[in-house]
């Protein structure tokens, strides 16, 4: 109650608790939507809600009552209001039918079908209302949608009465009309919208949202990139909103206009309003519409933007009952404008559904895929192109990939589906790198700008200024998005008309976002909000082609490489200090750009020194975040380019290049060791040590020695490991390298622990922990804590061991250190078994096993032998069948579920095996 009253602030007095089990809220003089809804739909023996009250109720209803509440008491309350909402829609539709207003009945019934799609009575009533309004084609579509839904979700057919209704309507449609209807004057009809030739797919929610915007605002702009479906959505929303406008809905296509001055005349012509001599078109339009309740749809405003803005502003000021719905690739910028960003069609998750997947699982998921608008659109358009096409578990993966790579853009998906007559989905995927040639076969009846994918972007590109075009070209080098400061570093410069000053980048980038060619998204880093920008992949490929054409690719890619090389080299030492988590997250955020920089460096004709430096700087990040295989591949290729001393164009490997190679060798050795490839790791680290000795680089020598010690320790060679650690420690003490000293102390502590010298082990590990805490190195703090947990457990101090393990695992979760988390889970599994909790041990062991497989980091042989002994003993205690079942439960856990289970109160931590053997040394 105290917390609730604090949240209510000055209204706290409304909260009453007359007894310990009673809570009341005084609503006197206040408004609550739920209470208002209840009043509006309440029926009594003497009163039935009026049409106005019912309309108010359905507008108040915003979805399930208290959707985030999971307490049992809310379920009947939630269901009662949901049913009242549906009943209100039914009553409104019936009242409209009773007064012979089929358009209004259709409006309310469409909302009812959207809210309760499996309610056959609602679909049947909608079919009848549409037929009465003369739109039997739409009635047939309602039946087809219902039938498809029932098949997918319930594996059943519509009821006999629904099928009979559909058959009756179809037969009536087939009969010739008794007499041709009298022509209705254009000015007296309500619907003035184009009639689409294909179904609108996957936009039910968007139609509802646009209608909501139209109820709240008088000027609504549907904003989006070319081909995203703005026009189709505008037509559908206008159709649904028709009952709200006594003078109807009117559509004006502005795409053919060549001059802004023609906009008022085009609108007047579409509305059938005659010219008035001596007066401007704006004036006689305003006069003609002054008293009309009308929705005006202005389509394709971007190339006559100022004229559309001026006309809309003038008409809305003069016509109080007018509403305007525009579609544009850029906002109008008129006061009071409500902007609705039209999203791409919903995309499904990219999961494996190919021939190797479980057939029953795959078939089920293929049906689920059709619930996503992007997949359904592609599938239906492909079937229209090639009637034999079917979405199956064999082509589902490729269809999903097509949807993702085309960003869910409807036009692009339709163009891709048109290729199904000659290519399989797998073949279409393989050719999407050259999508502008591939997607050239479309609807020849469409406007030229919509006939090919390139034409769609050409239309937007033609509206840009020269500096905006230059910026768009240069932004194409970014992968996975970028921050503003990166765009300023990479995209500024150029020559002639293409010169961009750093301070201009923000304004130009804002212009591209306003024109729907770039997108701004807010992300959260720690407690701060950060804006990242991105290009859709199709736009990025288009801009990249333009970048090559203008001869700037090499210069801009070089600046991009330098930008992210600087970021990686700045992050490398920071990842050893208190900002470790933030810098790991920063590199994760820019991982695609880092990959792009590495790939460009491989293609560059210049020397490979930058590639070595970049790959070497990312080793710790790759190791901690579980990108082991990828990191080894990048490092291997970078090292291969310099094996013959070719780090520079002249073939001479200088001191800086040699140092960069030593750094990369050291990192590659660490990653190879993490993957259990000890022979390769030792060879790489020995070569690194040789190079550092040639350079006289004492820091590098100490790092290589320490990492060679880790390789020896992971192979159970304690004597060699101790000697290498001690040699490394001697150098680090001479250098005053506190981080290196802490690493060596930790590693020597592990050796002592493995040899059962617990007093020495504890002293060394505690000393290393003190240094790590002073340095703020969270990752190594976690390592020392885990190792101290081993020492405590082996001395029988379970409470201390558990505290150490839990703190270590918590830190590793914060860092996203998947390799470290797997060690923690294995330690907790062994501890659980020692304490008689074999089922818990099996689950934790299964979770660790799955995690190691996913990151490609096996246990070292000595630890694997100990862990196998633990699991065998647990299986014997639990029984093979029960152990296997528990193991699979653990394997099925997500990473977060496994960590939560490990930190739960279900067991006590412990284990002889170190939770993290040697701590690697960063060069």
């Amino acid at each position: 109650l105290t917390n609730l009253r604090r949240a209510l602030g000055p209204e706290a007095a409304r909260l009453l608790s007359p007894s310990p089990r009673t809570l009341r809220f005084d609503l006197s003089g206040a408004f609550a939507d739920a209470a208002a809804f209840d009043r509006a739909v309440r029926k009594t023996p003497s009163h039935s809600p009026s049409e106005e009250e019912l309309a108010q109720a359905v507008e108040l209803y915003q979805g399930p009552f208290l959707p985030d509440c999971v307490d049992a008491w809310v379920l009947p309350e939630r269901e009662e209001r949901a049913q009242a909402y549906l009943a209100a829609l039914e009553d409104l539709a019936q009242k409209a039918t009773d007064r012979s207003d089929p358009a209004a009945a259709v409006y309310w019934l469409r909302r009812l079908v959207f809210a309760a799609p499996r309610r056959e009575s609602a679909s049947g009533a909608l079919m009848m209302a549409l037929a009465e309004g003369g739109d039997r084609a739409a009635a047939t579509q309602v039946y087809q949608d219902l039938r498809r839904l029932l098949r997918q979700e319930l594996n059943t057919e519509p009821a006999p009465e629904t099928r009979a209704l559909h058959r009756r309507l179809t037969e009536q449609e087939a009969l010739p009309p008794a007499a041709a209807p009298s022509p209705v004057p254009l000015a007296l009809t309500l619907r003035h919208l184009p009639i689409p030739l294909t179904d609108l797919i996957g936009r039910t929610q968007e139609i509802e949202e646009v209608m909501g915007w139209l109820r709240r605002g008088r000027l609504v702009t549907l904003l989006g990139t070319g081909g995203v479906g703005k026009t189709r959505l505008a037509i559908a929303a206008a159709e649904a909103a028709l009952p709200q406008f006594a003078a109807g809905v009117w559509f004006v296509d502005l795409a053919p206009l060549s001059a802004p001055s023609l906009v008022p005349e085009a609108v007047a012509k579409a509305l059938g309003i005659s010219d008035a001599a001596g007066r401007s078109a704006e004036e006689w339009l305003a006069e003609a519409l002054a008293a009309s309740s009308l929705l005006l749809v202005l389509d394709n405003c971007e190339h006559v933007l100022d004229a559309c803005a001026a006309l809309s502003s003038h008409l809305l000021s003069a016509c109080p009952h007018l509403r305007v719905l525009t579609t544009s690739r850029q906002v109008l910028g008129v006061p009071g404008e409500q902007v609705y960003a039209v999203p791409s069609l919903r995309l499904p998750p990219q999961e494996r559904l190919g021939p190797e997947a479980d057939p029953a699982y795959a078939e089920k998921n293929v049906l689920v895929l059709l619930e996503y608008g992007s997949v359904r659109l592609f599938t239906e358009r492909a079937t229209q192109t090639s009637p034999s096409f079917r979405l199956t578990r064999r082509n589902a993966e490729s269809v999903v990939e097509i949807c993702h790579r085309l960003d869910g853009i409807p036009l692009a998906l339709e163009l891709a589906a048109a290729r199904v007559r000659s290519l399989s989905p797998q073949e279409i995927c393989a050719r999407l790198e050259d999508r502008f040639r591939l997607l050239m076969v479309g609807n020849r009846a469409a406007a030229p700008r919509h006939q090919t994918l390139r034409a769609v972007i050409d239309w937007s590109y033609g509206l840009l200024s020269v500096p905006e075009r230059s910026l768009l070209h240069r932004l194409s080098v970014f992968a996975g998005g970028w921050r503003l400061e990166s765009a300023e570093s990479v995209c500024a410069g150029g020559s002639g008309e293409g010169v961009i000053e750093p301070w201009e980048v923000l304004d130009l980038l804002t212009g591209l976002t306003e024109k729907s060619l770039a997108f701004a998204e807010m992300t959260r880093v720690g407690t701060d909000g950060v804006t990242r920008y991105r290009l859709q992949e199709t736009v990025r490929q288009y801009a990249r082609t333009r970048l090559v054409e203008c001869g700037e690719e090499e210069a801009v890619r070089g600046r991009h490489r330098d930008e992210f090389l600087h970021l990686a080299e700045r992050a490398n030492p920071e990842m050893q200090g208190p900002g470790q988590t933030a810098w790991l997250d920063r590199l994760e955020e820019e991982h695609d750009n880092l990959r792009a920089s590495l790939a460009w460096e491989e293609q560059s004709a210049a020397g490979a020194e930058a590639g070595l430096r970049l790959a070497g700087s990312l080793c710790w990040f790759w190791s901690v975040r579980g990108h082991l295989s990828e990191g080894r591949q990048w490092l291997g290729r970078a090292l291969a380019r310099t094996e013959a001393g070719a780090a520079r164009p002249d073939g001479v490997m200088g001191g800086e290049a040699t140092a960069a190679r030593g750094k990369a060798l050291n990192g590659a050795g660490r990653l190879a060791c993490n993957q259990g490839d000890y022979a390769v790791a030792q060879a790489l680290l020995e070569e690194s040590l040789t190079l550092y000795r040639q350079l006289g680089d004492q820091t590098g020598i100490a790092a290589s020695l320490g990492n060679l010690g880790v390789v020896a320790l992971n192979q159970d060679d304690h004597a060699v490991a101790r000697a290498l650690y001690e040699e490394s420690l001697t150098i680090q003490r001479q250098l005053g390298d506190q981080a290196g000293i802490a690493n060596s102390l930790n590693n020597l502590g592990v050796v002592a622990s493995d040899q059962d010298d617990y007093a020495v082990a504890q002293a060394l590990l505690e000393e290393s922990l003190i240094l790590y805490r002073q340095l703020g190195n969270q990752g190594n703090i976690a390592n020392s804590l885990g190792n101290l947990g081993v020492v405590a457990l082996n001395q029988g101090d379970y409470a201390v061991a558990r505290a150490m393990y839990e703190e270590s695992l918590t830190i590793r979760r914060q860092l996203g250190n998947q390799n470290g988390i797997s060690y923690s889970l294995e330690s907790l599994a062994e501890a659980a078994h020692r304490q008689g909790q074999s089922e818990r041990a099996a689950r934790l062991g299964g979770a660790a096993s799955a995690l190691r497989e996913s990151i490609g980091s096996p246990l070292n042989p000595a630890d694997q032998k100990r862990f196998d002994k633990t699991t065998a003993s647990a299986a014997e205690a639990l029984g093979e069948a029960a152990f296997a079942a528990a193991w699979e439960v653990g394997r099925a856990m997500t990473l977060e579920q496994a960590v939560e289970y490990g930190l739960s109160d279900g067991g006590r931590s412990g284990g002889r095996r170190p939770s993290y053997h040697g701590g690697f040394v960063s060069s």
Side-chain angles (χ1 to χ4, degrees):
L1 285 174
T2 299
N3 291 338
L4 284 171
R5 289 189 173 116
R6 185 180 297 116
L8 288 167
E11 303 294 329
R14 294 182 179 275
L15 192 64
L16 308 173
S17 181
S19 72
R21 293 184 177 273
T22 306
L23 190 65
R24 293 178 181 169
F25 197 72
D26 181 7
L27 282 174
S28 303
F31 173 80
D33 57 355
F37 175 85
D38 292 344
R39 288 194 299 271
V41 299
R42 184 177 296 120
K43 294 180 180 180
T44 67
S46 59
H47 172 75
S48 292
S50 67
E51 192 167 358
E52 182 179 350
E53 288 174 320
L54 292 171
Q56 177 195 16
V58 297
E59 297 309 321
L60 284 169
Y61 188 81
Q62 297 298 314
F65 179 65
L66 299 180
D68 296 327
C69 181
V70 296
D71 293 342
W73 69 267
V74 82
L75 299 179
E77 297 273 353
R78 183 180 295 155
E79 182 62 19
E80 180 181 350
R81 287 178 174 85
Q83 293 303 319
Y85 170 67
L86 299 178
L89 288 170
E90 287 179 330
D91 289 348
L92 284 166
Q94 186 59 52
K95 290 178 184 294
T97 301
D98 292 344
R99 65 169 188 271
S100 300
D101 187 353
V106 166
Y107 171 75
W108 296 119
L109 287 168
R110 282 199 184 279
R111 295 186 65 172
L112 177 60
V113 170
F114 174 77
R118 288 184 293 275
R119 184 178 288 205
E120 286 196 46
S121 61
S123 293
L126 177 56
M127 291 163 61
M128 287 291 294
L130 287 166
E132 289 174 10
D135 196 348
R136 284 191 169 83
T140 299
Q141 184 61 51
V142 170
Y143 176 78
Q144 291 173 348
D145 289 343
L146 172 66
R147 189 180 182 211
R148 183 185 299 109
L149 178 72
L150 294 176
R151 278 182 172 182
Q152 290 176 0
E153 296 192 358
L154 304 176
N155 195 27
T156 188
E157 291 287 331
E161 54 268 27
T162 309
R163 297 201 299 271
L165 172 61
H166 172 249
R167 194 162 47 249
R168 188 166 70 251
L169 294 177
T170 304
E171 290 168 356
Q172 289 176 3
E173 184 179 28
L175 294 174
S182 301
V184 180
L186 179 65
L188 297 180
T189 62
L190 296 179
R191 185 190 186 283
H192 303 277
L193 300 169
I195 300 175
L197 300 180
T198 55
D199 301 336
L200 181 63
I201 292 173
R203 292 301 196 189
T204 304
Q205 178 179 341
E206 287 83 352
I207 292 171
E208 286 289 315
E209 290 172 348
V210 173
M211 289 174 62
W213 283 107
L214 283 170
R215 286 191 291 270
R216 294 189 292 271
R218 297 184 59 214
L219 172 60
V220 177
T221 294
L222 304 187
L223 183 71
T225 189
V228 80
K230 301 183 294 295
T231 299
R232 290 297 307 274
L233 179 57
I235 293 171
E239 181 99 53
L242 180 60
Q244 302 175 25
F245 298 97
V249 293
W250 300 74
F251 182 92
V252 185
D253 183 9
L254 302 176
L257 300 188
S258 58
S261 60
L262 300 176
V263 170
E265 286 79 3
V267 174
K269 181 179 180 181
L271 291 171
I273 299 174
S274 301
D275 192 355
R279 302 172 63 192
S280 69
E282 291 90 340
E283 290 176 333
W284 39 267
L285 270 173
E287 182 178 313
L289 300 178
S292 298
S293 171
L294 178 145
L295 174 63
L296 179 62
V297 182
L298 301 179
D299 190 40
N300 296 299
C301 296
E302 56 273 349
H303 66 302
V304 286
L305 197 69
D306 292 341
C308 289
L311 180 63
S312 298
S313 180
H314 179 72
L315 292 180
L316 289 168
S317 298
C319 310
H321 306 296
L322 173 70
R323 275 174 164 72
V324 178
L325 176 63
T326 72
T327 75
S328 179
R329 303 186 191 188
Q330 185 174 357
V331 296
L332 272 64
V334 174
E337 178 184 21
Q338 306 287 324
V339 179
Y340 179 81
V342 179
S344 298
L345 291 174
R346 274 207 318 144
L347 294 167
Q350 289 185 284
E351 298 175 351
R352 297 206 59 79
L353 295 170
E356 71 280 4
D358 176 69
Y361 171 82
E363 291 295 347
K364 175 184 175 183
N365 279 274
V366 166
L367 293 176
V368 171
L369 288 177
L370 289 170
E371 297 178 7
Y372 292 89
S374 57
V375 176
R376 184 177 165 197
L377 176 67
F378 179 88
T379 302
E380 293 205 7
R381 297 296 187 263
T383 303
Q384 291 167 3
T385 298
S386 176
S388 62
F389 178 83
R390 294 290 183 273
L391 182 69
T392 68
R393 66 188 182 93
R394 294 186 176 274
N395 63 24
E397 246 184 80
S398 296
V399 170
V400 170
E401 184 178 349
I402 290 169
C403 293
H404 275 270
R405 292 180 64 185
L406 294 178
D407 304 301
I409 298 175
L411 178 63
L413 292 172
E414 291 184 341
L415 293 171
R419 285 293 189 183
V420 167
R421 64 169 61 95
S422 54
L423 295 172
S424 70
Q426 292 87 340
E427 291 170 322
I428 292 173
C429 276
R431 293 170 179 262
L432 280 180
E433 285 302 318
D434 194 9
R435 63 187 64 188
F436 295 110
R437 290 187 180 180
L438 176 70
L439 306 183
M440 293 183 68
V441 180
N443 177 12
R444 292 183 176 87
R449 69 186 187 282
H450 280 166
Q451 288 184 3
T452 70
L453 189 61
R454 185 178 183 94
V456 171
I457 307 179
D458 279 339
W459 173 265
S460 293
Y461 185 80
L463 301 176
L464 300 179
S465 66
V466 172
E468 286 175 330
R469 291 180 183 182
S470 295
L471 180 63
L472 181 65
H473 303 163
R474 297 169 192 175
L475 291 172
S476 68
V477 301
F478 289 100
W482 65 88
R483 292 189 181 187
L484 175 61
E485 56 267 27
S486 294
E488 290 169 336
S489 297
V490 173
C491 298
S495 60
E497 291 184 327
V499 172
I500 299 176
E501 299 295 337
W503 57 267
E504 293 180 292
V505 171
L506 176 58
D507 289 340
L508 294 173
L509 184 53
T510 301
L512 292 178
T513 59
E514 289 175 347
K515 294 176 176 67
S516 303
L517 285 169
F519 296 88
E521 299 167 338
M522 183 66 70
T523 61
R524 187 154 296 281
V525 178
T527 58
D528 300 324
V530 175
T531 301
R532 281 186 69 80
Y533 299 85
R534 66 177 177 87
L535 300 177
Q536 288 182 330
E537 184 57 27
T538 298
V539 174
R540 180 171 176 256
Q541 287 195 22
Y542 178 95
R544 185 171 59 194
T545 301
R546 294 284 192 172
L547 181 69
V548 173
E549 290 172 355
C550 68
E552 288 192 328
E553 183 182 32
E554 187 168 352
V556 178
R557 282 195 177 277
R559 293 199 295 270
H560 178 272
R561 175 205 59 212
D562 292 343
E563 168 73 7
F564 290 99
L565 173 59
H566 173 72
L567 173 68
E569 291 188 326
R570 182 183 169 198
N572 195 33
E574 296 288 348
M575 286 189 290
Q576 306 304 315
Q580 192 172 55
T581 302
W583 280 100
L584 286 167
D585 290 342
R586 181 80 171 94
L587 293 180
E588 194 75 69
E589 177 188 332
E590 300 292 2
H591 203 179
D592 286 334
N593 278 310
L594 294 163
R595 289 170 174 139
S597 297
L598 287 162
W600 173 250
E601 188 60 25
E602 289 183 350
Q603 301 168 16
S604 174
E609 181 181 326
L612 281 173
R613 289 165 56 196
L614 179 55
S617 297
L618 293 174
C619 289
W620 186 259
F621 162 71
W622 283 326
S623 177
V624 171
R625 288 296 170 91
H627 305 295
L628 305 177
S629 296
E630 179 183 358
R632 287 189 69 184
Q633 290 173 11
W634 287 119
L635 282 160
R637 293 199 293 268
L639 287 165
R641 293 190 68 198
T642 61
E643 281 182 356
R648 295 184 181 276
D650 58 9
V652 177
M653 196 150 101
E656 291 183 4
T658 301
R661 182 173 174 81
K663 187 176 193 176
L665 286 165
N666 187 48
R670 287 158 46 195
L671 294 177
C673 183
N674 277 336
Q675 291 196 299
D677 200 345
Y678 301 120
V680 171
Q682 184 162 342
L684 291 166
L685 290 167
E686 286 177 348
E687 184 180 351
S688 171
L689 179 60
T690 299
L691 286 178
Y692 283 133
R693 289 195 192 280
Q694 290 173 0
L695 292 170
D697 184 339
Q698 295 299 303
T699 300
I701 292 170
S704 296
L705 288 168
N707 292 336
L708 281 165
V710 175
V711 174
L713 183 63
N714 281 349
Q715 297 176 91
D716 247 6
D717 194 339
H718 293 86
V720 170
R722 183 191 295 275
L724 289 165
Y725 290 151
E726 288 176 344
E727 186 179 354
S728 178
L729 179 59
T730 299
I731 297 172
Q732 287 155 348
R733 290 195 187 279
Q734 292 170 352
L735 294 172
D737 180 358
Q738 297 301 300
I741 293 169
N743 278 333
S744 293
L745 291 171
N746 173 76
N747 294 343
L748 287 166
V750 172
V751 173
S753 178
D754 272 3
Q755 295 179 326
D756 299 333
D757 192 347
Y758 299 123
V760 171
Q762 184 161 342
L764 289 167
L765 291 169
E766 286 179 347
E767 186 179 354
S768 75
L769 180 60
I770 291 170
L771 288 175
Y772 284 142
R773 290 198 189 278
Q774 291 172 354
L775 294 167
N777 189 318
Q778 295 299 306
N780 285 335
I781 288 171
N783 296 345
S784 287
L785 286 167
N787 293 332
L788 281 166
V790 173
V791 173
L793 179 74
N794 287 338
Q795 296 180 93
D797 196 339
Y798 294 141
V800 170
R802 180 188 179 195
M804 296 290 184
Y805 281 140
E806 287 185 345
E807 187 177 352
S808 177
L809 179 54
T810 299
I811 293 171
R812 284 166 170 165
R813 172 167 62 177
Q814 292 168 351
L815 291 173
N817 185 344
Q818 297 184 46
N819 195 39
I821 289 172
S822 62
Y823 275 118
S824 292
L825 295 175
E826 287 151 353
S827 294
L828 290 165
E830 186 171 355
H833 173 61
R834 282 195 179 193
Q835 295 175 277
Q837 297 177 338
S838 297
E839 182 179 359
R840 178 178 174 84
R843 292 187 179 189
L844 289 166
S849 170
L851 178 55
R852 284 201 177 277
E853 287 177 15
S854 70
I855 63 175
S857 178
L859 273 170
N860 64 65
D863 284 349
Q864 187 66 59
K865 182 178 179 180
R866 282 190 285 269
F867 193 64
D868 288 346
K869 183 178 179 181
T870 295
T871 54
S873 179
E876 183 180 354
L878 195 59
E880 290 292 341
F883 179 86
W887 183 271
E888 289 305 315
V889 169
R891 286 186 60 84
M893 291 180 182
T894 65
L895 177 63
E896 188 60 28
Q897 287 171 339
V899 172
E900 286 295 331
Y901 187 67
L903 294 173
S904 67
D905 290 334
R908 293 295 182 266
S909 301
R912 184 185 183 291
R913 181 194 47 75
S915 62
Y916 193 96
H917 262 160
F920 281 114
V921 183
S922 175
S923 61

